[in-house]
Amino acid sequence: SLLRAALAIRRAGPDEVVQRAWEEAVGGEDAPRTRVISFRGGTLAVAVSSPALLAELSLWRREQVRARLAAALGRDVAEIRFEAGETP
């Protein structure tokens, strides 16, 4: 649940906070195919390993994921930039 994730996030370090919040916002099925690159000035940059997922996140789920991420972090997320890239 978002509440459980938010509590876990508050106990983590800054980079881990953003990564955990991202994983919760994007969902367990898609999280392994993505990697947070940076979070600066309210803009999150994310690498996505699959072209199909890149299109889905960029075109159809961007605002839903952005709102969930902002709720999990407890602060504004102005933009999410998706790019093709390697993931763990």
Side-chain angles (χ1 to χ4, degrees), residues 19 22 31-38 45-49 85-88:
Q19 184 64 43
W22 168 252
R33 299 185 295 164
T34 64
R35 176 179 50 87
V36 171
I37 298 169
S38 65
V46 178
V48 183
S49 65
E86 297 283 325
T87 60

Side-chain angles (χ1 to χ4, degrees), residues 8 12-13 17 19 25-26 34 39 41 45 52 54 64 66 68 74 81 84 87:
V17 166
Q19 184 64 43
V26 77
T34 64
F39 185 53
L54 178 63
Q64 174 194 32
R66 189 195 60 74
R68 291 184 70 180
R81 285 192 348 252
T87 60

